[in-house]
């Protein structure tokens, strides 16, 4: 059974990936400083998996700690989630984002190389593409200048990872550029847990439906889309978690140093108003909402070309938007 380090393993995507790693026969080791997650998640992961998952409360940028952990546990692969991720916050605190997301990755990769770890799966984002020229967005699409420090860190991180892999004698790495993860585990034991005002659409929807927020604001309805609202590719977090396990399996099958990028999405775009309608259909809950002004920097429409994921990783999304919204609502009702 292979030991896999999961940085940020108590977070939204990290926790669901830990479950799928256990299901696939791996032994995940979580490192999380709980700055954007809850310590109770560890107990819930143990409950879901029926195991006692090893976890450490520590900052992944602690180099001496990392070196010791990688050696003591004979880690064979790393899945890296421990990044700051809010676009708006990155504009307000750019140095925090460059320190954690870029300098932190460099620290992690130094430790990985020193410990001769073979496989590295990186949590990237479709933000590297910016406003796409063509839809669906494929991996061949150009990366445009980032519209936020957050997006810039993902672009920088991919370059750093590619260069490190090229110079390495053993490392195989893959950057998964995923689109909009939503939903929750069907058990309703883990899900998205935003701190403060949600930055993403779905927790805002579920909190509004639960009466925590008076109404939802739709940011603009005059975009050049069929109903005037922005279009995104919403992927169930369980499907996304399984993609990371597939990427790890792919990496383990490579010989020598190899670097790849891969989109992870459903291949279908849904507008904000379509999501609101789908939520009502999935849950029976009506949502009070208003139309507000467009947000600066919002991309009009993006959704994934996902053929490479099928070919390279043998992965494709299986769960529907309806599934994801029903699971997100089930999770919200437990909070």
């Amino acid at each position: 059974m292979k030991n896999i380090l999961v940085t940020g393993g108590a977070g939204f995507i990290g926790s669901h990936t830990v479950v799928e790693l256990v299901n696939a026969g791996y032994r995940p080791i979580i490192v999380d400083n709980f700055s954007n997650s809850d310590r109770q998640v560890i107990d819930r992961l143990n409950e879901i998996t029926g195991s006692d998952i090893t976890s450490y409360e520590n900052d992944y940028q602690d180099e001496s700690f990392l070196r010791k952990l990688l050696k003591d546990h004979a880690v064979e692969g790393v899945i890296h989630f421990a990044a700051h991720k809010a676009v708006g916050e990155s504009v307000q605190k750019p140095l925090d984002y460059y320190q954690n997301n870029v300098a932190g990755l460099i620290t992690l990769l130094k430790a990985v190389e020193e410990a001769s770890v073979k496989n590295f799966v990186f949590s990237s984002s479709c933000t590297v593409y910016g406003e796409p020229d063509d839809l669906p967005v494929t991996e061949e699409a150009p990366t445009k200048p980032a519209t936020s420090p957050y997006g810039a860190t993902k672009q920088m991180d991919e370059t750093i990872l590619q260069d490190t892999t090229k110079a390495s004698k053993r490392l195989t790495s893959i950057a998964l550029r995923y689109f909009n993860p939503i939903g929750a585990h069907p058990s309703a034991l883990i899900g998205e847990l935003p701190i403060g005002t949600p930055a993403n659409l779905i927790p805002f929807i579920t909190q509004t439906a639960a009466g925590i927020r008076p109404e939802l604001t739709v940011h603009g309805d005059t975009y050049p889309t069929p109903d005037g609202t922005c279009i995104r590719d919403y992927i169930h977090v369980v499907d996304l978690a399984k993609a990371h396990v597939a990427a790890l399996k792919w990496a383990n099958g490579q010989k020598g140093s190899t670097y790849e990028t891969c989109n992870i999405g459903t291949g279908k775009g849904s507008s904000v108003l379509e999501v609101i309608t789908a939520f009502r259909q999935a849950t029976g809950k009506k949502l009070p909402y208003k139309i507000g002004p467009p947000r600066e920097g919002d991309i009009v429409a993006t959704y994934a070309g996902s053929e490479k994921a099928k070919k390279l990783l043998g992965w494709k999304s299986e769960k529907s938007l309806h599934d994801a919204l029903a699971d997100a609502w089930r999770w919200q009702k437990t909070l």
Side-chain angles (χ1 to χ4, degrees), residues 45-309:
L45 288 173
N46 290 336
E47 182 178 347
I48 292 169
T49 62
S51 58
D52 187 12
I53 296 169
T54 301
S55 64
Y56 294 92
E57 182 171 352
N58 209 304
D59 193 311
Y60 90 98
Q61 298 182 72
D62 185 336
E63 193 167 357
S64 61
F65 162 76
L66 277 177
R67 287 173 175 167
K68 187 175 189 306
L69 183 152
L70 293 171
K71 179 180 178 181
D72 289 351
H73 291 282
V75 169
E76 296 189 29
V78 174
I79 305 181
H80 179 43
F81 294 108
H84 295 334
K85 60 180 183 177
V87 171
E89 183 183 59
S90 76
V91 174
Q92 300 299 320
K93 301 177 180 179
L95 294 181
D96 287 354
Y97 274 68
Y98 290 120
Q99 174 63 53
N100 185 78
N101 294 9
V102 180
L105 176 65
I106 292 170
T107 298
L108 177 59
L109 286 174
K110 284 181 178 178
V112 161
E113 281 287 87
E114 185 177 299
S116 299
V117 174
K118 182 180 184 298
N119 305 318
F120 196 98
V121 180
F122 177 64
S123 167
S124 191
S125 167
C126 64
T127 57
V128 300
Y129 298 117
E131 186 78 59
D133 295 323
D134 300 295
L135 293 173
V137 184
T138 69
E139 291 80 1
E140 287 71 41
T143 56
K144 297 182 178 180
T147 58
S148 70
Y150 166 73
T153 66
K154 290 300 184 184
Q155 291 177 341
M156 292 177 193
D157 285 346
E158 286 196 10
T159 299
I160 290 166
L161 185 58
Q162 181 176 18
D163 290 345
T164 302
T165 303
K166 184 177 180 180
S168 174
K169 303 298 183 183
R170 67 187 69 83
L171 185 65
T172 292
S173 64
I174 182 167
L176 300 185
R177 295 169 173 173
Y178 36 84
F179 284 64
N180 290 63
I182 62 171
H185 194 268
S187 67
L189 286 171
I190 56 174
E192 189 168 7
L193 193 62
I195 296 173
T197 303
N200 298 328
L201 175 62
I202 305 307
F204 223 116
I205 284 176
T206 58
Q207 288 185 11
T208 302
I212 297 170
R213 302 191 180 278
E215 65 181 354
L216 172 73
T217 299
V218 176
H219 296 288
D221 66 348
T222 58
Y223 289 101
T225 63
D227 64 19
T229 63
C230 291
I231 292 174
R232 299 289 184 269
D233 187 337
Y234 296 96
I235 179 170
H236 198 299
V237 66
V238 172
D239 279 342
L240 182 57
K242 290 178 179 178
H244 289 80
V245 178
L248 194 63
K249 181 180 179 181
W250 167 84
N252 195 53
Q254 304 307 301
K255 294 181 179 180
S257 58
T258 306
Y259 172 79
E260 283 284 359
T261 60
C262 198
N263 288 343
I264 305 296
T266 68
K268 180 182 184 299
S270 299
S271 73
V272 176
L273 292 182
E274 286 175 333
V275 171
I276 291 172
T277 298
F279 181 80
R280 184 173 64 248
Q281 294 169 344
T283 66
K285 298 286 292 185
K286 287 194 69 174
L287 278 177
Y289 70 89
K290 67 179 181 181
I291 304 298
R295 287 185 302 192
E296 184 178 355
D298 265 354
I299 292 169
V300 176
T302 185
Y303 55 91
S306 53
E307 289 303 310
K308 185 175 180 180

Side-chain angles (χ1 to χ4, degrees), residues 37-50:
S37 55
D38 193 303
R39 291 170 181 82
Q40 293 182 14
V41 167
I42 304 301
D43 292 335
R44 295 184 175 205
L45 288 173
N46 290 336
E47 182 178 347
I48 292 169
T49 62

